[in-house]
Amino acid sequence: MKAILNMYDSNLENVEVGVGDYVIANTDEFGLKERQRYKILEVNSHDMITVEVYEGHTAMYSIEYFDECKF
């Protein structure tokens, strides 16, 4: 299963991401740090992902809090 980044923003192209991909936080809220890279551990639905927030602690977030990670 894949999650779809930008699905709530009609001005941006949709980007599919899955387990093992990285995303960049676009907010400093909800325990995230803006511009920090997070690895996707689980895709819960097309608009929800689980990431490791810090070592040993995971949390589920809406994809709207992340942008595509371009290496």
Side-chain angles (χ1 to χ4, degrees):
M1 180 187 313
K2 297 282 187 175
I4 304 171
L5 297 179
N6 306 327
M7 70 181 294
Y8 298 121
D9 188 341
S10 61
N11 295 320
L12 298 173
E13 182 178 333
N14 290 344
V15 176
E16 289 187 349
V17 292
V19 173
D21 291 337
Y22 287 88
V23 289
I24 302 286
N26 60 24
T27 185
D28 275 326
E29 299 178 298
F30 316 112
L32 297 170
K33 294 186 192 257
E34 189 171 11
R35 293 186 297 276
Q36 183 168 329
R37 183 175 75 151
Y38 295 91
K39 184 176 183 177
I40 298 174
L41 301 177
E42 183 178 353
V43 175
N44 307 92
S45 68
H46 65 279
D47 65 348
M48 298 293 290
I49 58 175
T50 297
V51 299
E52 184 172 42
V53 181
Y54 55 87
E55 190 173 332
H57 180 74
T58 63
M60 185 170 53
Y61 292 97
S62 171
I63 50 85
E64 67 188 294
Y65 302 121
F66 299 95
D67 295 322
E68 181 180 13
C69 180
K70 298 177 184 177
F71 287 93

